[in-house]
């Protein structure tokens, strides 16, 4: 397992600085470049180095990301997916360039062989991406309705498994701290399958309480604010189990619980999503759902190459499974 010392050596900073950055310590005064370098090194060191000699595919692929760089660093999930894409591309000798949707050069993009769109895009944005006349592969949502190949994670199954796990361990008061996202151009809310499954599954068991569900932006600050609100509003009725929308939100949730001297996992058990690098370095370490972002990136490259060879191929939706990483934040 990669250690904080490994990250510190690679990033060229102290172990203390790495620890505080990985825990999103907002009292730490470091430049944005340093913060980005540490977070990126921590993520990259999770990937196994490939020993295969790269072939010379010669393809040029553009990754269109829906988040800004700053937004990516507050959540890291989409950054993980991009590393999966880049690793696979490097093993094939393909060239990758990253841009945001808003920074696309409409003239230059036509020089690429294909587009991998990472994130959530609305009708206006998908229509624009298709207008460039290049193969487009989407990661994050189901875009079969737009006649596009797409890949997403199975978030529904793990939510049901987490709830079942809590119940087996005697926890039937279960809450959720969930993320809420807006599509950039049309400002529409994005449906989160984790929230929908959580609500439906608990209702089917007669255990749902809407006062136990809190939503806000993804990120540690939001997680801190939402859990603080839950603690203040619910008091002794604070649920004993929480599903958290992402690891970065869970970092803030942990900080709020610790500030209120609420024991994790004995009083409140937490299970989050994504298994980004920070999940291993929190105290306690996070029990989290591992999303196979590297596999998502690999399959995106493979689907793009298949689409280049056969433009008339029937579009496919690939759903990638997940697995629970048991650590210290849950009983």
């Amino acid at each position: 397992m990669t250690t904080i010392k490994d990250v510190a050596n690679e990033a060229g900073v102290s172990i203390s600085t790495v620890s505080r950055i990985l825990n999103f310590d907002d009292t730490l005064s470091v430049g944005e470049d340093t913060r980005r370098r540490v977070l990126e090194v921590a993520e990259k060191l999770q990937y196994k180095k490939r020993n295969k000699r790269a072939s010379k595919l010669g393809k040029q692929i553009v990754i269109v990301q829906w988040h800004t760089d700053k937004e990516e660093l507050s959540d890291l999930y989409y950054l993980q997916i991009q590393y999966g894409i880049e690793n696979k591309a490097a093993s094939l000798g393909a060239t990758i360039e990253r841009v945001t949707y808003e920074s696309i050069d409409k003239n230059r993009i036509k020089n690429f062989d294909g587009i991998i769109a990472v994130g959530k895009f609305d009708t206006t944005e998908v229509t624009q991406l298709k207008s460039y006349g290049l193969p487009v592969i989407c990661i994050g949502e189901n875009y079969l309705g737009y006649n596009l190949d797409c890949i997403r994670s199975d978030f529904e199954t793990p939510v049901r498994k987490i709830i079942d796990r809590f119940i087996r361990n005697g926890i039937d008061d279960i809450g959720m701290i969930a993320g809420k996202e807006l599509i950039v151009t049309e400002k529409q809310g994005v449906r989160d399958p984790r929230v929908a499954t959580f609500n439906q599954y608990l209702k089917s068991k007669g255990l749902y309480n809407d006062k136990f569900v809190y939503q806000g932006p993804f990120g540690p600050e939001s997680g801190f604010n939402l859990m603080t609100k839950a603690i203040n509003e619910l008091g002794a009725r604070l649920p004993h189990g929480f599903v958290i929308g992402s690891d970065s939100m869970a970092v803030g949730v942990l900080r709020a619980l610790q500030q209120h001297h609420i024991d994790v996992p004995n009083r409140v058990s937490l299970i989050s999503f994504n298994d980004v690098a920070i999940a291993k370095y929190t105290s306690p370490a996070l029990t989290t759902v591992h999303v196979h972002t590297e596999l998502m990136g690999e399959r995106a490259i493979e689907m793009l190459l298949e689409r280049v060879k056969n433009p008339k191929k029937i579009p496919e939706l690939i759903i990638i499974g997940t697995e629970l990483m048991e650590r210290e934040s849950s009983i």
Side-chain angles (χ1 to χ4, degrees):
M1 171 182 162
T2 301
T3 66
I4 286 182
K5 183 178 180 181
D6 295 329
V7 177
N9 289 340
E10 184 78 15
V13 297
S14 70
I15 291 174
S16 172
T17 297
V18 170
S19 178
R20 294 175 69 182
I21 289 174
L22 292 179
N23 282 281
F24 291 94
D25 184 345
D26 54 13
T27 67
L28 177 63
S29 179
V30 296
E32 200 63 32
D33 288 347
T34 300
R35 191 179 299 274
R36 168 173 285 278
R37 186 168 71 254
V38 169
L39 289 170
E40 288 188 342
V41 165
E43 292 302 326
K44 286 180 178 178
L45 288 180
Q46 288 203 114
Y47 290 104
K48 296 177 181 177
K49 294 182 179 179
R50 300 182 183 278
N51 296 318
K52 294 180 181 178
R53 181 178 296 178
S55 59
K56 295 184 179 180
L57 185 64
K59 298 293 184 185
Q60 291 185 307
I61 300 166
V62 61
I63 300 175
V64 178
Q65 57 194 46
W66 79 309
H67 275 170
T68 64
D69 288 344
K70 186 174 183 179
E71 287 171 328
E72 276 196 334
L73 288 183
S74 72
D75 190 46
L76 305 176
Y77 168 66
Y78 294 108
L79 197 63
Q80 270 197 332
I81 292 174
Q82 290 178 28
Y83 290 152
I85 296 169
E86 291 169 0
N87 280 343
K88 181 65 174 180
S91 73
L92 295 174
T95 302
I96 291 288
E97 184 169 323
R98 288 194 281 175
V99 300
T100 63
Y101 173 81
E102 294 177 327
S103 69
I104 293 173
D105 183 328
K106 295 180 180 179
N107 295 315
R108 187 167 174 270
I109 198 171
K110 295 178 181 179
N111 296 324
F112 288 86
D113 295 289
I115 297 169
I116 298 178
V118 180
K120 317 289 173 58
F121 299 89
D122 57 39
T123 299
T124 300
E125 294 161 350
V126 173
T127 301
Q128 184 65 49
L129 291 174
K130 291 183 68 173
S131 74
Y132 301 127
L134 299 174
V136 179
I137 308 298
C138 297
I139 303 181
E141 285 288 295
N142 181 350
Y143 291 100
L144 286 180
Y146 297 96
N147 210 36
L148 293 177
D149 295 301
C150 37
I151 305 169
R152 74 171 184 89
S153 291
D154 173 18
F155 286 133
E156 294 88 347
T157 302
V159 169
R160 290 189 287 267
K161 287 184 176 180
I162 290 169
I163 290 171
D164 289 340
R165 173 194 171 102
F166 279 146
I167 293 172
R168 283 197 308 272
N169 286 292
I171 297 173
D172 59 8
D173 55 336
I174 303 169
M176 186 172 208
I177 303 289
K180 184 182 291 184
E181 298 174 306
L182 292 176
I183 295 175
V184 176
T185 302
E186 297 180 3
K187 305 300 181 185
Q188 299 172 344
V190 178
R191 176 186 177 275
D192 189 331
R194 286 163 291 201
V195 177
T197 304
F198 178 89
N199 294 346
Q200 179 274 326
Y201 197 55
L202 278 180
K203 285 176 181 177
S204 74
K205 294 179 174 295
L207 297 175
Y208 179 73
N209 187 333
D210 62 357
K211 292 182 173 59
F212 293 170
V213 179
Y214 292 81
Q215 279 190 272
F218 281 98
E221 183 179 358
S222 176
F224 175 84
N225 292 336
L226 292 172
M227 180 51 80
T228 299
K229 183 179 181 182
I231 292 167
N232 291 334
E233 289 181 351
L234 299 173
R237 295 187 301 117
L238 187 72
H240 286 75
F242 270 94
V243 181
I244 313 296
S246 73
D247 297 331
S248 62
M249 292 189 87
V251 170
V253 167
L254 277 172
R255 190 162 69 243
L257 291 166
Q258 289 163 354
Q259 285 190 11
H260 286 82
H261 307 291
I262 297 173
D263 185 83
V264 178
N266 295 312
R267 172 55 182 88
V268 174
S269 280
L270 305 176
I271 300 179
S272 57
F273 274 80
N274 298 340
D275 194 27
V276 298
I278 58 173
K280 303 177 184 68
Y281 303 116
T282 58
S283 182
L286 290 171
T287 297
T288 183
V289 175
H290 181 80
V291 179
H292 291 276
T293 49
E294 185 171 20
L295 181 56
M296 293 169 73
E298 290 176 354
R299 287 298 294 128
I301 292 287
E302 292 165 1
M303 292 176 82
L304 182 61
L305 297 179
E306 291 169 9
R307 177 60 58 187
V308 169
K309 290 180 181 178
N310 184 7
K312 295 184 179 181
K313 181 177 72 71
I314 299 297
E316 295 179 83
L317 166 63
I318 293 179
I319 300 177
I320 305 293
T322 58
E323 59 184 312
L324 185 67
M325 309 301 292
E326 299 196 29
R327 298 193 181 103
E328 302 162 357
S329 69
S330 67
I331 59 174

